[in-house]
Amino acid sequence: MSEARWDVIVIGGGVVGCAVTRRFALAGAKTLLLERGRDILSGASKANSAILHTGFDAPPGSLEVACMQAGYQEYLDIHTRLNLPVLKTAALVVAWTEEQLAQLDGIVSKAHENGVDDARQISRQDLLGRETGLSTTALGAVEVPREYVIDPWSAPLAYLKQAVRAGAGYQFDTEVKSGAFDGEYWHLDTGQQRISGRLVINCTGTNGDNIEQICRKPGFEIRPRKGQFLVYDKSASALINSIILPVPTATTKGVVLTKTIFGNLLLGPTAEEQQDRNIATVEREMLDGLIATGIEMLPGLAGHSVTATYAGLRPATQFKDYQISAEPGKNWIGVNGIRSTGLTAALGIAAHVQRLCGETYSDLANFGPAAAAEWPVMPVLAEHEKRAYQQGDGTEIVCHCERVTRGEIEAALDESDVPARSLGGLRRRTRVMMGRCNGFYCSARVAELTQGRISPPLAGHEKDQS
């Protein structure tokens, strides 16, 4: 059994784990990311609504709103250097009933309390003038001008790529099963390997309370919440201009209508508590209900096709706020209860965890000289920007639905930082086989290009999308 030693081990390769790995690697720590799936985003982070939130409706004074707003600002500060897209749509919180209309004043007040001073209530006339496709049963709205749409997959990949260039390592297909602390180092057992590190940071999402048991009895319980989504054909995207949000409840932001950065229209999620922590299925009855809700809000949806469905799990707990804490004397930080706001908050959470490390473990905080930041340039996947096929990369288009070139596929497989090694990883990096035909026309060519490069091979992908 081999053993390697690290300053920091991050368990969990979701968006938060990638951001935390980046933060500590740039701080000079010898950092390792462990992920049990075949690629990053194999768990909860692979399914979300991809909105960069201002935190206008988060609980005032909460850790969640602090991390969201710090993460929001850092994303905007660095996205150009990483070539990450932002679609500036704004959001409208729409009231559909008199009861919801009466809540709009409170939503504006909470937004202002959270520092989102440009949020304002608009009239029914203004709303329907801006969103001519909405049902005329809409009664009014709150406008939040700085809510944006981003790429949910390229961002965490960029964080990990930058971490790798700062000296971080990563291991996929590596599940931590147990661990022991000797007073200086944690020794984590994966079944095949013992890996040692001075500080462990648990970012395992829906498995968070189970992994916490390695160090301590958790003060929370993960209660997985499933969200089902529908992806409409690109033709539906023109039906709205802004992100259409409902008036939120105590447990969910409700069903959202939004453009995606890839040019589709997204409808969802549902909010369903379930026991299973790993499997999120889509169900016809719930999807039919979503479709009906969507058509009630946006009647023109009835004339457009659904091209994909998916479901994800949120690592909710019994508490409304994030559950992030360090265990004194044990060199362990748990990052748990990160709900649907994790994509926005990830960079802010990473900064908070670094501060928490310095406050709790002063002997660990000075890892060495900070790494010189290198800035990987991410491929352009956004529909509103110029894609590879438009710029002419000298190769043919393989996926005609999403207009993905052979050059883009080969680059994702060949790149040195974090290459695609699974079909799911390749799809998220390039959009190949993610269009309306779901790979019906291009899968044979993709199989040729990926032969011997991904596991399992394309012929087995029906059972593996990780």
Side-chain angles (χ1 to χ4, degrees), residues 108-444:
V108 172
S109 295
K110 181 186 279 189
H112 291 177
E113 189 176 353
N114 284 337
V116 186
D117 296 331
D118 52 356
R120 67 185 183 99
Q121 189 168 345
I122 63 173
S123 68
R124 176 176 181 273
Q125 182 178 8
D126 286 347
L127 169 63
L128 296 180
R130 289 176 50 162
E131 297 290 344
T132 57
L134 277 190
S135 167
T136 55
T137 59
L139 300 177
V142 172
E143 178 194 32
V144 189
R146 290 178 288 114
E147 295 269 305
Y148 303 144
V149 174
I150 61 176
D151 180 342
W153 301 322
S154 295
L157 180 60
Y159 303 158
L160 183 57
K161 286 169 66 75
Q162 192 173 34
V164 169
R165 294 187 183 188
Y170 65 89
Q171 288 185 203
F172 299 150
D173 287 315
T174 303
E175 181 175 4
V176 173
K177 299 183 181 298
S178 62
F181 184 58
D182 66 8
E184 184 179 6
Y185 278 87
W186 276 100
H187 306 284
L188 303 179
D189 184 6
T190 69
Q192 293 79 39
Q193 205 178 6
R194 191 169 78 157
I195 306 172
S196 299
R198 297 182 69 197
L199 173 67
V200 170
I201 304 174
N202 171 22
C203 301
T204 51
T206 55
N207 205 31
D209 50 357
N210 290 334
I211 294 296
E212 285 291 304
Q213 298 277 3
I214 294 174
C215 172
R216 55 186 172 177
K217 183 179 179 181
F220 61 91
E221 176 188 359
I222 294 293
R223 298 176 177 177
R225 187 173 298 151
K226 183 170 76 172
Q228 301 186 48
F229 292 87
L230 294 160
V231 181
Y232 278 84
D233 207 351
K234 293 178 189 289
S235 58
S237 179
L239 294 174
I240 56 174
N241 298 306
S242 302
I243 302 162
I244 306 299
L245 301 169
V247 174
T249 70
T251 57
T252 176
K253 291 180 180 295
V255 175
V256 178
L257 278 164
T258 179
K259 297 172 184 283
T260 74
I261 202 77
F262 313 113
N264 299 89
L265 187 143
L266 185 70
L267 173 64
T270 58
E272 309 159 58
E273 293 198 357
Q274 68 171 44
Q275 295 298 314
D276 195 299
R277 294 162 178 260
N278 301 310
I279 298 175
T281 57
V282 293
E283 289 141 18
R284 183 58 185 263
E285 184 178 352
M286 294 298 292
L287 296 181
D288 286 345
L290 262 185
I291 290 172
T293 300
I295 292 173
E296 283 181 11
M297 295 190 292
L298 193 65
L301 268 184
H304 296 268
S305 302
V306 173
T307 59
T309 62
Y310 64 89
L313 294 175
R314 299 284 170 268
T317 72
Q318 66 270 46
F319 302 108
K320 290 185 177 179
D321 207 353
Y322 296 167
Q323 301 297 301
I324 302 176
S325 65
E327 181 68 14
K330 298 292 287 287
N331 297 4
W332 179 285
I333 297 177
V335 184
N336 296 290
I338 312 302
R339 301 179 299 171
S340 60
T341 52
L343 178 63
T344 294
L347 294 169
I349 291 171
H352 175 75
V353 170
Q354 187 185 18
R355 285 193 298 273
L356 188 60
C357 175
E359 293 166 1
T360 312
Y361 313 116
S362 56
D363 57 323
L364 291 179
N366 296 318
F367 296 105
E374 293 186 30
W375 297 89
V377 177
M378 301 304 292
V380 176
L381 301 181
E383 186 77 1
H384 68 286
E385 296 187 356
K386 189 169 283 189
R387 299 275 307 278
Y389 79 94
Q390 294 167 305
Q391 299 180 48
D393 67 359
T395 66
E396 76 275 19
I397 293 176
V398 174
C399 170
H400 286 266
C401 294
E402 291 297 314
R403 289 157 290 187
V404 181
T405 68
R406 174 170 56 82
E408 289 177 287
I409 296 170
E410 291 174 339
L413 295 167
D414 293 341
E415 68 108 343
S416 59
D417 296 324
V418 192
R421 289 292 177 262
S422 67
L423 180 60
L426 182 65
R427 285 158 57 105
R428 290 191 283 273
R429 284 166 176 77
T430 64
R431 300 284 301 160
V432 71
M433 298 174 62
M434 296 190 79
R436 62 184 309 170
C437 84
N438 285 296
F440 182 82
Y441 291 105
C442 66
S443 58

